[in-house]
Amino acid sequence: MDIGILTALSADSRRSYADVANEVGLSTAAVHERVRKMVERGVIERFSLRIDPQRLGLHFTAFVAIRNDGGVHCREVAPRLREMPEVLELHSVAGEYDFVAKIRTTHARALEDLLYQIKAIPGVARTTSTVVLNTEFEDRPLRRPAAPPATGN
């Protein structure tokens, strides 16, 4: 039942609990209580807005892989990247690089300027950028997984 509520709210968190209740087959009070409990348990971290970056002039998206130098400053890299408003996401990853950052800027030159700032952070050894040509989808709402096929047993 909680997955149904989360599916409904992740598509549009402004939906009324009455509307969600109709969709999942519960009372409005039951939906309200389940949402409250999911917030308390940390299942729901926050309710937020989805903003169209294009309408704000953020026309340029890139993913930047960042490699640490292995020195004593490596723990300072993530907090410094968090301070940069253009860095929307930062993921610690395994492999050749240590972080992958999702970055939005107004244009390529703004990305270049940001890369100089990133490379100046103590502990950053190098970066590799991948420029996004087109975004097919992102920020997909949670959807109920399909039911597994019935077995003959």
Side-chain angles (χ1 to χ4, degrees), residues 4 7 10 15 17-18 29 34-35 46 51 60-61 68 81 83 106-107 111-112 114 117 121 124-126 130 138 151:
T7 299
S10 70
R15 290 178 70 181
Y17 288 160
R34 284 177 174 265
V35 169
R46 67 180 177 158
I51 298 167
F60 202 81
T61 304
N68 289 337
L81 291 168
E83 295 172 4
T106 53
H107 47 73
L111 174 63
E112 181 182 24
L114 185 67
Q117 292 175 42
I121 296 171
V124 171
R126 77 178 206 197
T130 301
E138 65 183 346
T151 60

Side-chain angles (χ1 to χ4, degrees), residues 65-70 74 90-100 123 125:
I66 302 164
R67 177 183 274 176
N68 289 337
D69 65 9
C74 288
L90 182 64
H91 306 274
S92 178
V93 297
E96 184 177 348
Y97 289 87
D98 300 293
F99 296 104
V100 174

Side-chain angles (χ1 to χ4, degrees), residues 78-137:
R80 295 281 302 275
L81 291 168
R82 182 183 297 275
E83 295 172 4
M84 299 176 175
E86 300 89 347
V87 178
L88 302 181
E89 298 177 10
L90 182 64
H91 306 274
S92 178
V93 297
E96 184 177 348
Y97 289 87
D98 300 293
F99 296 104
V100 174
K102 180 179 180 181
I103 295 174
R104 285 198 198 271
T105 63
T106 53
H107 47 73
R109 181 58 187 237
L111 174 63
E112 181 182 24
D113 293 343
L114 185 67
L115 290 173
Y116 286 128
Q117 292 175 42
I118 291 171
K119 290 175 184 177
I121 296 171
V124 171
R126 77 178 206 197
T127 65
T128 299
S129 301
T130 301
V131 172
V132 173
L133 299 176
N134 182 45
T135 299
E136 298 297 333
F137 62 85

Side-chain angles (χ1 to χ4, degrees), residues 28-72:
T28 302
V31 168
H32 185 270
E33 182 64 16
R34 284 177 174 265
V35 169
R36 185 186 64 74
K37 286 180 179 178
M38 285 189 280
V39 169
E40 286 176 358
R41 290 192 329 257
V43 173
I44 297 174
E45 294 180 344
R46 67 180 177 158
F47 295 89
S48 62
L49 295 173
R50 178 170 172 178
I51 298 167
D52 182 350
Q54 297 286 326
R55 293 181 187 252
L56 295 177
L58 299 173
H59 304 287
F60 202 81
T61 304
F63 290 91
V64 177
I66 302 164
R67 177 183 274 176
N68 289 337
D69 65 9
V72 296

